[in-house]
Amino acid sequence: MTTLLAVVGATGTGKSALSLAIATALGDAGRPAEIVNADAMQLYRGMDIGTAKLPADERRGITHHLFDVLDVTEEASVAWYQPTARAVIDDLSARGVTPILVGGSGLYVSSVIHDFRFPARDQALRERLEQELEREGLSALVGRLQRLDPATASRIDAANARRVVRALEVHELAEQGHGAALPARPTPWRPVEVIGVSTPREALVERLDRRVQQMWDDGIVEETASLLDAGLERGVTASRAIGYAQATAQLRGESTAPEAIAETQRLTRRYARRQVSWFKRYPEITWVEGGSAEASSLARLPRP
């Protein structure tokens, strides 16, 4: 069985560059490799500037999978993503192609590389919780989750109403005996080499702030206007994407450009911190600084 490679880490650390270097080195050694996306927002067609999606002409001729596969009105869920990504990986492996899973969406990565089973769903329970969210507000539900399941409450984004509702749904179902989730100590789905790409914190913060400013310079507001015409506001997942939500507020006159940029920078920094915390929990991971000589050497290592 072909070993799965996974290149993970926070946004802006250089995952794409390293994955391309590894794929190129494998190709030069007569072992074709292809890249599988594990970034939730890069699944969406038209969301290019705000997700720093690598343009097709910069992919070195290496095939990339699971980019631009959803409309912004469709919901991206890890329950859909896991079997979809695994099917791509199985197909590549069967053809003798090394799959390289690349991205920073921790739950998406974990769902693929670990023995991950999803908790049950209950539509009636979900609807009740959503009604309570509308009636009582997000802070009330966050407080309830903190009381009932403080460990989960400490891990999820408390500003994400969808995640909070899902966490409460999972908790109630577990109380009823219907729970299932990632094991306490993750076990691999198949042989995997995990490479974590890092950047010193001060350098990363500076890089992320520059990236957000560049997004505005490159036209994220105009891109967002086009996506709004395509139904962005109807999208459960896409409408909440960092950068696009702030550009939408700017287009509505609810914030100025400097305010939208500053808010996007703040949320991007927070998201990067959460990504680092997530991947630090992986028991088997090789960390390397993005763009370093060490990273270049790692890319050229022979692999089983």
Side-chain angles (χ1 to χ4, degrees):
M1 179 183 290
T2 304
T3 297
L4 168 65
L5 299 179
V7 179
V8 305
T11 183
T13 52
K15 297 184 296 296
S16 294
L18 180 57
S19 64
L20 287 174
I22 293 172
T24 300
L26 285 169
D28 290 345
R31 298 177 55 195
E34 298 180 8
I35 289 170
V36 182
N37 172 46
D39 183 306
M41 295 306 163
Q42 292 191 357
L43 294 166
Y44 287 105
R45 283 182 283 272
M47 293 179 67
D48 301 330
I49 296 172
T51 65
K53 192 180 294 173
L54 192 68
D57 61 2
E58 296 180 17
R59 297 177 185 177
R60 302 188 189 179
I62 296 164
T63 301
H64 283 55
H65 299 270
L66 297 183
F67 289 83
D68 303 320
V69 294
L70 296 177
D71 291 327
V72 291
T73 54
E74 297 180 277
E75 181 176 0
S77 72
V78 71
W80 166 85
Y81 174 80
Q82 182 198 54
T84 304
R86 285 184 171 183
V88 171
I89 290 165
D90 281 338
D91 176 66
L92 294 175
S93 182
R95 293 191 282 111
V97 177
T98 299
I100 306 177
L101 186 71
V102 183
S105 297
L107 189 58
Y108 281 58
V109 173
S110 293
S111 76
V112 172
I113 70 173
H114 295 144
D115 179 20
F116 192 109
R117 294 174 297 276
F118 291 96
R121 291 182 178 272
D122 185 308
Q123 187 60 33
L125 172 57
R126 170 67 65 89
E127 291 176 357
R128 173 173 66 77
L129 289 167
E130 288 176 345
Q131 291 170 2
E132 292 173 7
L133 172 66
E134 186 173 350
R135 185 172 62 249
E136 302 174 20
L138 179 58
S139 60
L141 267 64
V142 170
R144 186 190 310 174
L145 182 62
Q146 289 171 337
R147 292 192 301 275
L148 296 173
D149 189 351
T152 298
S154 69
R155 289 196 305 267
I156 70 167
D157 181 0
N160 188 323
R162 180 165 156 255
R163 292 278 176 87
V164 173
V165 167
R166 175 60 175 153
L168 286 168
E169 178 189 13
V170 169
H171 177 80
E172 290 201 27
L173 288 171
E175 291 287 297
Q176 299 167 20
H178 300 298
L182 189 66
R185 181 172 179 81
T187 56
W189 164 58
R190 61 184 297 162
V192 60
E193 175 189 352
V194 185
I195 300 169
V197 188
S198 66
T199 297
R201 174 163 174 72
E202 288 186 7
L204 181 59
V205 167
E206 182 180 349
R207 182 181 302 173
L208 293 178
D209 283 353
R210 286 200 312 269
R211 174 186 279 191
V212 170
Q213 180 63 61
Q214 192 63 49
M215 284 161 46
W216 257 256
D217 294 342
D218 288 344
I220 190 175
V221 175
E222 291 76 15
E223 183 174 83
T224 301
S226 176
L227 292 170
L228 287 170
D229 290 340
L232 177 63
E233 290 179 296
R234 300 197 307 274
V236 174
T237 310
S239 63
R240 296 190 176 99
I242 297 172
Y244 292 98
Q246 288 68 45
T248 298
Q250 181 183 333
L251 286 166
R252 288 173 175 166
E254 297 169 358
S255 68
T256 64
E259 289 169 342
I261 291 168
E263 177 67 0
T264 302
Q265 289 171 330
R266 182 185 71 82
L267 292 174
T268 302
R269 292 192 297 266
R270 186 179 73 173
Y271 179 54
R273 289 196 300 271
R274 296 182 68 85
Q275 289 175 298
V276 170
S277 296
W278 182 283
F279 293 117
K280 277 186 175 178
R281 298 201 300 264
Y282 280 14
E284 302 292 340
I285 186 168
T286 299
W287 286 100
V288 62
E289 185 174 333
S292 66
E294 182 186 9
S296 297
S297 297
L298 181 63
R300 294 191 297 270
L301 283 178
R303 288 182 163 81

